[in-house]
Every structure is written in structure tokens, then in C-alpha cells.
Amino acid sequence: KRSIEIDSLSNGLGENAVRVIRSGNRSYSSDFGYSYEIHFVGPNLRGNVLELTSDKDLTGLDSNGGFTCDAFVSSTNDEFLEIRTENSSSAFGTDTPRAEIIINSNKDIIDGEFQMSVTYFGQQSTTECIPWDASVEQIKSALENLNNVDSVHDERTGNGHLSIENGSHVRLHEYWFQFLGGNSFLAIPPDNLSSVLYVGDMVQFSDQPDFSEFYEVTDVAGGTIKINKSFDAEWFSNHVLTRFFGYRHIIYFNGHAMHTDGSDATGFKPQQGSNFIISETGNCRPLRAYENNVLKQMSDVPGAIASIRAVSKYDGGHTLPGAPSYSPSMVISKSLLLALPMSIAEAHVTQSLETTENELAFTITYGQNDGDVPSLVCNHSFQSASSTICTAKTVMDGNEIRGSFYIE
């Protein structure tokens, strides 16, 4: 047990990077051997860890391909080594970096492809051409086939068309947009608008004249946005804005060492045009649509607006709506310890995936030495005046002792 832990330290994983539990006593009940349960828990091991490999035939093979280790010898000659993964991937938290891929077009796309390029671990790798309507499995496979990405999770919404009924859309209900004239609108309140609305987004307004038309956001500056069409008459009411997506992929980079603490020193922070690039050029087929029964490139179709782009909104510090960039799960855990009125040895905070209703669940697991901790209570005085709702419940009490006993 301790040898495995010491070896992990010498391999640069850091102090307390792994915890090893050994069971078995070389008796018949344990197949005359031992079982080692290895937990990867260090800060440099957040996310997925690839399955270990070793000399399964126990011939003395070392990690460098030589035979410096002692081979196993037994009278029955049936010794073996088995390695299996108990739980793989799916390590999500408030420090899991995310990126959005948005496919939009005001014309029906017939075909087309794109590529993704990831720069990480000192190398740039580019996927093969991916269909414009790629499935979750195709996106996941394309990225995980790269040498510098070992695990991602993808969620896709949309049906390829901009639609309020069956399509993918997000209503920005926390903002009102006041018409300023021409093609400009003022957001009320103006705060954090650039974290929910982006250049290239296809949008509609709640009281627009024609609901068959979609507008492209051409500028987001401060609390003001501009769209690709000007209006002569004033719109008298304030408007609620809705973002529309042909397809929307939310990609979680939950691979080994990709989680980030919000700094530039650790993890992977996807940034479009830098270390995470979406490209429609190269050897891939361009987006095409029909114009007068003739299949044409989108650039040759009058009035066509089509794009495949990445939105690097989530860099590991922005997974909480409105949260500052220095609030990954590690910081939230420390803040919790400082805020609690009792003494807590340790607490780990993980965040669920965001639902389509913009709901988030935070699970707080206390350390084994903390015993039972009272249930937390939401402070409703700090909740937003809008539609934010907070609920708290205990999933499992600590120090639960079941059964019965007698005292004589």
C-alpha cells in the first residue's frame, strides 16, 4: 500500500495524490493474493484518469519496457494481475471548463462540415471533418481521438432549425431591452450582458413586428447591443430577448488535468481563436443550402446568415451564473468552511450539470471526521429579486447507527 503511494509521489503527482486501500491476506478466501483499491484524489488529478496498465502476465516487465522487476514464481503457475476501473470520467465540479458550439442559419442547411482544434499539453491537435449536424457521440469521439484530450462530455439541443416550438432557445428573462433607435437596444440592467449574449447570436424580441424573422447580434458593448437590421419607427415597449440555436453543444472538458482554478497556471481554459478553434475551411465541405432548387454554398445564397462558432463562456470560473471568475469549487469549499459557525475539518463541493431550466444543484460532502452536520438553510434575503429560488435538504445524515443493542 505505502509503496504504491510513495511511487505516485515520485512520479510528480504531488503529496496525497492517491489513497490506496489493500485487502486480502494471501489465503484461499482472497485467491491467495491481494487487492488494491486506488483512489485518485490530489488536486492535480481532478477529472478523468486513464486506466492503469501493468505487466498482467507478471513476467518482470517494468514501465520502460525492460525486465528489471522480479517475475512471479508459483508452484501452480496460475498467477495473474487484473486491473479494472471502478468509476470512469464524469468528474464534474464548478472548476470544470466548458465551451459552447453553436450552429445557426436562417436558411435550411442541407450539408456541411467543420473541424475543432485544441491546443493543450504543448501541442495543437485538429479533429477530422465533422458533420454540421453531428451527434453527441460524434463530437465526443472526434475530441477524444486527439492526443491532448482524453475525456469530454457533450450535451446537444436543437433540431437544426431556428424555432420557438421545437427548436433550442434560451430566454433572457433577467433582462429588458429598450429600443434606442436604428439597430440599437439598451439592456436593463446592463450588468454581465457579455456573459449571456454574443456577437453572432440569432435572436428575437418579444414584441417584434414579424415573428418569422430572426436577427443577428452584430455588437455587444457594455449594456448596449446592435442587430443587423435598423427600424424606422420606435418600438414603444421594453422587450424580452430570446437566443435561438439550430444546434447547441455544451462541451465539458472533464479530462485529466483539464480542470482549472480560474488562473492561467492550471487546467484548460477554452478560448475561441486561441486554444479552441472552430473552422469551416480546409478540406471540409462548406455549409450549403438550396436556392431556387439549386444547391449552393451559403455565401452564394442571397440573405443567408449561417455560422458554426464556439463561445468560450465557461472557463472553469464562470460555471455559476453571475459568479466571479475566481470562484471554482475549491474556493467555494474554503468559503464554506469559513462561513459555518461550527468547526469543520473538510468539505467538498461538486456542481451538477446545468439543466434546460437553468437549475444547478450543489452537493456538499463533509469529511469522515466531521460526524453529523446540521442541514444548511438558504439565506433568502440575499436572493435576487427576479426568479431565483434556493432550496436546501440533507441527502444523508452523518453518524447514522442502525440496528439494536442491549445493556446489562
Side-chain angles (χ1 to χ4, degrees):
K1 169 185 177 298
R2 186 57 183 165
S3 297
I4 296 176
E5 292 179 345
I6 292 175
D7 284 343
S8 73
L9 296 179
S10 65
N11 286 332
L13 298 183
E15 187 177 0
N16 298 321
V18 297
R19 295 174 185 169
V20 180
I21 301 174
R22 192 182 81 168
S23 58
N25 56 7
R26 296 180 62 186
S27 66
Y28 175 81
S29 61
S30 57
D31 291 330
F32 301 102
Y34 295 102
S35 175
Y36 297 89
E37 187 175 297
I38 303 175
H39 298 257
F40 295 93
V41 296
N44 294 327
L45 292 167
R46 292 172 294 184
N48 183 49
V49 176
L50 297 181
E51 186 169 277
L52 301 179
T53 59
S54 186
D55 176 17
K56 294 188 177 182
D57 295 326
L58 302 176
T59 58
L61 183 68
D62 60 31
S63 59
N64 295 319
F67 288 88
T68 60
C69 299
D70 292 333
F72 276 61
V73 178
S74 69
S75 58
T76 55
N77 198 31
D78 59 353
E79 64 274 6
F80 70 94
L81 172 65
E82 179 186 7
I83 300 175
R84 66 176 183 269
T85 299
E86 294 292 336
N87 62 325
S88 60
S89 303
S90 300
F92 299 102
T94 56
D95 48 10
T96 305
R98 293 185 273 172
E100 291 184 15
I101 296 179
I102 298 172
I103 297 98
N104 277 343
S105 176
N106 62 349
K107 304 290 184 180
D108 288 340
I109 301 175
I110 302 302
D111 72 348
E113 297 173 321
F114 67 98
Q115 291 176 294
M116 293 179 287
S117 176
V118 175
T119 302
Y120 188 54
F121 278 139
Q123 60 179 313
Q124 182 181 39
S125 301
T126 303
T127 66
E128 297 180 350
C129 293
I130 304 168
W132 74 276
D133 57 350
S135 65
V136 166
E137 292 75 18
Q138 287 174 305
I139 292 291
K140 179 178 174 65
S141 175
L143 285 171
E144 291 184 351
N145 282 337
L146 302 180
N147 292 331
N148 53 356
V149 178
D150 73 289
S151 178
V152 298
H153 173 85
D154 179 39
E155 292 187 343
R156 191 189 82 165
T157 56
N159 57 10
H161 307 281
L162 303 180
S163 170
I164 191 66
E165 296 180 357
N166 301 315
S168 176
H169 60 276
V170 173
R171 188 178 177 89
L172 304 184
H173 54 77
E174 65 269 36
Y175 293 95
W176 289 97
F177 289 85
Q178 179 182 0
F179 181 56
L180 299 179
N183 65 340
S184 299
F185 294 80
L186 175 66
I188 304 173
D191 304 328
N192 300 318
L193 183 62
S194 61
S195 65
V196 295
L197 192 63
Y198 306 91
V199 172
D201 278 350
M202 302 296 288
V203 301
Q204 282 189 344
F205 298 89
S206 56
D207 297 311
Q208 68 182 51
D210 182 4
F211 281 99
S212 66
E213 187 167 6
F214 296 87
Y215 305 104
E216 182 185 18
V217 175
T218 59
D219 185 60
V220 179
T224 303
I225 70 167
K226 292 183 179 180
I227 58 176
N228 64 324
K229 182 176 180 180
S230 296
F231 295 91
D232 297 329
E234 181 178 355
W235 292 3
F236 293 98
S237 61
N238 290 330
H239 308 273
V240 177
L241 185 145
T242 301
R243 297 174 67 200
F244 288 84
F245 316 98
Y247 286 113
R248 182 193 190 194
H249 294 266
I250 301 181
I251 301 174
Y252 297 77
F253 293 91
N254 63 325
H256 170 53
M258 301 194 86
H259 293 60
T260 175
D261 62 0
S263 70
D264 294 330
T266 62
F268 177 69
K269 298 173 66 173
Q271 297 178 353
Q272 168 62 2
S274 177
N275 60 0
F276 185 61
I277 299 174
I278 304 297
S279 174
E280 301 175 54
T281 59
N283 298 322
C284 301
R285 297 193 308 272
L287 295 177
R288 298 192 296 174
Y290 278 113
E291 169 67 14
N292 296 327
N293 295 323
V294 178
L295 191 59
K296 299 180 179 180
Q297 293 188 23
M298 282 292 183
S299 57
D300 298 328
V301 177
I305 301 175
S307 65
I308 302 177
R309 57 197 172 88
V311 175
S312 52
K313 171 185 174 183
Y314 307 109
D315 62 3
H318 291 80
T319 55
L320 289 171
S325 60
Y326 50 81
S327 297
S329 56
M330 178 180 62
V331 176
I332 294 177
S333 299
K334 290 183 178 179
S335 299
L336 176 67
L337 297 180
L338 295 175
L340 291 176
M342 71 286 287
S343 176
I344 297 295
E346 60 177 321
H348 304 282
V349 180
T350 58
Q351 175 192 314
S352 70
L353 304 185
E354 187 173 346
T355 68
T356 55
E357 290 79 24
N358 296 321
E359 295 177 341
L360 294 170
F362 295 90
T363 302
I364 304 171
T365 304
Y366 301 100
Q368 60 183 359
N369 297 322
D370 292 316
D372 185 38
V373 178
S375 178
L376 300 181
V377 178
C378 293
N379 190 338
H380 297 286
S381 63
F382 283 93
Q383 288 185 205
S384 169
S386 59
S387 58
T388 303
I389 299 174
C390 172
T391 59
K393 65 179 181 180
T394 298
V395 178
M396 181 176 65
D397 287 320
N399 283 357
E400 287 191 345
I401 302 177
R402 302 184 184 276
S404 59
F405 61 93
Y406 296 92
I407 300 178
E408 295 183 353

